[in-house]
Amino acid sequence: MSAPGRGYVSCATSNGHRVAGMDMAMMRLRREDPRVVGSFRLHRRLGAGGMGVVYLGSDRRGQRVALKVIRPDLAEDQEFRSRFAREVSAARRIRGGCTARLVAADLEADRPWFATQYVPGPSLHDKVAEEGPLSAADVAAIGAALSEGLVAVHEAGVVHRDLKPSNILLSPKGPRIIDFGIAWATGASTLTHVGTAVGSPGFLAPEQVRGAAVTPATDVFALGATLAYAAMADSPFGHGSSEVMLYRVVHEEPQLQGVPDALAPLVRACLAKDPEERPSTLQLSMRLKEIAAREAQGLSDGRPPAPRPAARPLDDRPTGRLTERYTERATRGHAPRTPAPGARGAQAPRASSPRNPSRTGGGSRTGGGRTASRPGGVRTGTGGGRRPANPRLLRQRIFVFVVVTLIVLLGIAAAQGLQG
C-alpha cells in the first residue's frame, strides 16, 4: 500500500476509500475473500495491511460499512488478537465526530472482525500526493479538526500511536481519524518486542523509538509531522530506511523550510524532542482555528483587492498627506508645458483645487503663461497678464476712510461747540 514511511500500515488507509481513478479489477473480491461476514454482505476490497483486509460492506438496510477481517495466519496469534481487541475497545470508548463510528464487531469468530462507519473521501496522504501541498488555511483547518478529535481520543484514555497522513480520511464532513490497531492506554510502553517499536518511521515520536511510555504528547508529535507533510508534500525527516528515519526523529531537527510562516512555529513546537515542551491538543485546536480564520480572511481579501478608502473624490486626486506631493508634482510637471496666451483654457482646472488655498499664492507674481497653472481657481484672462489690485475693493477702502475721517472731525467740532 502507498503510505509514507514503513512499519505497521493501516488496513483502512487511503487505498481503502480511494475508488475514483483506480482499476476496478483491483477492487473486486478475490476468490479467497468471504462474501458475507456477520450480517454484512461484502461488495469489494477497500485495502489490506499488516493485520488483515478491509472490505466495503452493507447491512440489510443498505448502510455502508468498512469491515476489517483479521488475516487467517494471524487469527491464531494471541498477540494479534489482543491488538485487534484493543482497536475495537478504543473505537467503543471514543466519543466524537472525528473518528469512524463503530457499528459491530465479533472478537470470538475464527477470523475476528469489526465494522465501522464507511467514510467516503481520499486520505490526506493521497490528496497531497495527487494535488501537491495544501494551503496554509487548509492545513490549519484540518489540523484544528484533528486536534479537537484527539482531545476526545485522549479523554477516553487512548493514545493512537500511529497517526499519519494515510490514517486520516478527508470526508465531506471533515477529516476522520481511522485505524486504532496499535492504540494503547495512556502510559503504556511502545515496545512489542525488545528493540522493536510499533508505528510508522517519520511519524513516531522520540519516546516511542526509545521504548518509553506513550502519552497524549506522543500523538501531538505525530500530528505535527502530519501537518508538515500536508504543507510540504514531504516528511519533515526526509526519506530513507527505517533505521535512518528513526535516528533522525531522535537526534536531528525537522526540516520545515516549506511550511508556511504562519504554521512553522506551531509545527516546530509539536515536533519538540521533549514531550513536556509540546503544546496540548486543546491548545493546538484553539491556535490552529485562529490561524485558519486569519489565513482564510487573507485569501478572501486578496481576491480581488478591495480599495482601502471607502470612496474617493470625483476628480480622483489623492487626499491627506499625499496632497502636497501631488500639488508639487503637478506644478512642476505642468508649468513648462503651459499653453501660450489664447490657447485652450480647459487645462487650468487640472492643477486647481488643492486643499490648502494658502499654498496657492506662490506663483501669482509670475507673468504670462504661469497663470494658467496657478492653483486656487483664480480666473485667467485671454491676454495673459495678471489683473492689478481689485479697483472696487480699493474704492471701498477709500470710502470707508473718508467717512471715518468726517465722523471724527464732526465729533471734534461738536465737542468744541459745547465747551464754548
Side-chain angles (χ1 to χ4, degrees):
M1 294 183 63
S2 173
R6 296 179 181 271
Y8 175 72
V9 182
S10 164
C11 296
T13 56
S14 55
N15 289 350
H17 299 275
R18 179 183 161 199
V19 178
M22 295 187 67
D23 185 358
M24 292 306 296
M26 298 293 292
M27 307 296 294
R28 293 172 183 167
L29 294 176
R30 300 177 183 178
R31 181 177 302 176
E32 67 271 19
D33 291 329
R35 268 44 182 181
V36 176
V37 174
S39 60
F40 300 95
R41 180 181 178 184
L42 306 186
H43 302 291
R44 63 173 184 264
R45 282 187 171 219
L46 291 176
M51 287 178 62
V53 183
V54 178
Y55 301 95
L56 175 65
S58 62
D59 59 14
R60 296 176 181 177
R61 298 174 298 175
Q63 178 185 14
R64 295 192 299 175
V65 297
L67 193 146
K68 179 184 291 187
V69 181
I70 199 170
R71 284 167 36 189
D73 57 317
L74 299 177
E76 303 299 327
D77 190 317
Q78 189 59 40
E79 179 182 346
F80 276 91
R81 276 186 172 267
S82 298
R83 180 188 296 184
F84 196 81
R86 286 199 302 272
E87 182 170 9
V88 175
S89 176
R92 282 175 173 161
R93 300 205 311 264
I94 296 170
R95 296 290 182 268
C98 206
T99 58
R101 177 176 55 85
L102 180 68
V103 177
D106 186 353
L107 302 180
E108 303 300 327
D110 292 339
R111 295 180 61 186
W113 60 269
F114 79 96
T116 61
Q117 179 185 15
Y118 174 72
V119 180
S123 72
L124 178 60
H125 172 262
D126 277 1
K127 182 175 180 64
V128 173
E130 293 174 2
E131 302 180 12
L134 305 184
S135 68
D138 288 342
V139 174
I142 291 172
L146 294 175
S147 300
E148 192 169 351
L150 286 176
V151 171
V153 171
H154 297 157
E155 286 179 348
V158 175
V159 179
H160 190 286
R161 298 205 310 166
D162 196 27
L163 190 67
K164 57 185 178 180
S166 58
N167 281 345
I168 297 168
L169 300 181
L170 303 178
S171 77
K173 296 182 179 180
R176 296 290 184 268
I177 302 172
I178 62 170
D179 197 356
F180 288 81
I182 63 171
W184 205 284
T186 301
S189 171
T190 61
L191 293 179
T192 55
H193 302 289
V194 177
T196 303
V198 178
S200 302
F203 299 91
L204 282 173
E207 59 268 24
Q208 288 178 281
V209 179
R210 295 190 178 102
V214 296
T215 66
T218 303
D219 286 342
V220 171
F221 185 96
L223 178 59
T226 297
L227 297 181
Y229 172 83
M232 302 189 302
D234 199 3
S235 168
F237 296 100
H239 303 276
S241 64
S242 297
E243 293 77 9
V244 170
M245 297 289 287
L246 295 177
Y247 179 87
R248 291 173 182 165
V249 166
V250 175
H251 299 287
E252 297 183 3
E253 293 301 317
Q255 302 300 313
L256 303 177
Q257 287 81 356
V259 178
D261 293 341
L263 291 167
L266 193 60
V267 171
R268 190 174 299 278
C270 292
L271 296 175
K273 305 299 184 185
D274 186 351
E276 298 295 329
E277 295 180 1
R278 298 169 200 156
S280 68
T281 50
L282 183 59
Q283 291 171 332
L284 268 181
S285 177
M286 296 175 62
R287 187 74 184 97
L288 287 168
K289 285 179 181 178
E290 294 174 1
I291 296 175
R294 185 172 65 249
E295 291 297 318
Q297 183 64 34
L299 292 175
S300 65
D301 288 345
R303 289 191 303 231
R308 294 181 71 97
R312 296 197 65 172
L314 294 178
D315 57 4
D316 199 33
R317 279 177 297 218
T319 59
R321 188 174 297 178
L322 295 178
T323 304
E324 297 178 4
R325 301 180 190 173
Y326 179 88
T327 304
E328 293 172 1
R329 186 166 60 250
T331 304
R332 290 196 301 267
H334 293 298
R337 295 184 293 176
T338 304
R344 292 170 58 189
Q347 293 188 5
R350 290 185 59 186
S352 63
S353 78
R355 288 195 170 187
N356 189 355
S358 65
R359 298 180 59 88
T360 63
S364 62
R365 295 184 181 180
T366 60
R370 183 79 172 179
T371 57
S373 62
R374 177 177 176 267
V378 178
R379 291 180 296 174
T380 57
T382 56
R386 181 191 169 191
R387 288 188 178 186
N390 192 332
R392 181 177 179 183
L393 179 60
L394 182 60
R395 287 196 299 270
Q396 289 177 348
R397 291 177 177 177
I398 295 174
F399 177 77
V400 171
F401 176 76
V402 171
V403 170
V404 171
T405 303
L406 289 176
I407 293 174
V408 171
L409 293 175
L410 290 174
I412 293 174
Q416 291 177 350
L418 291 175
Q419 291 177 358

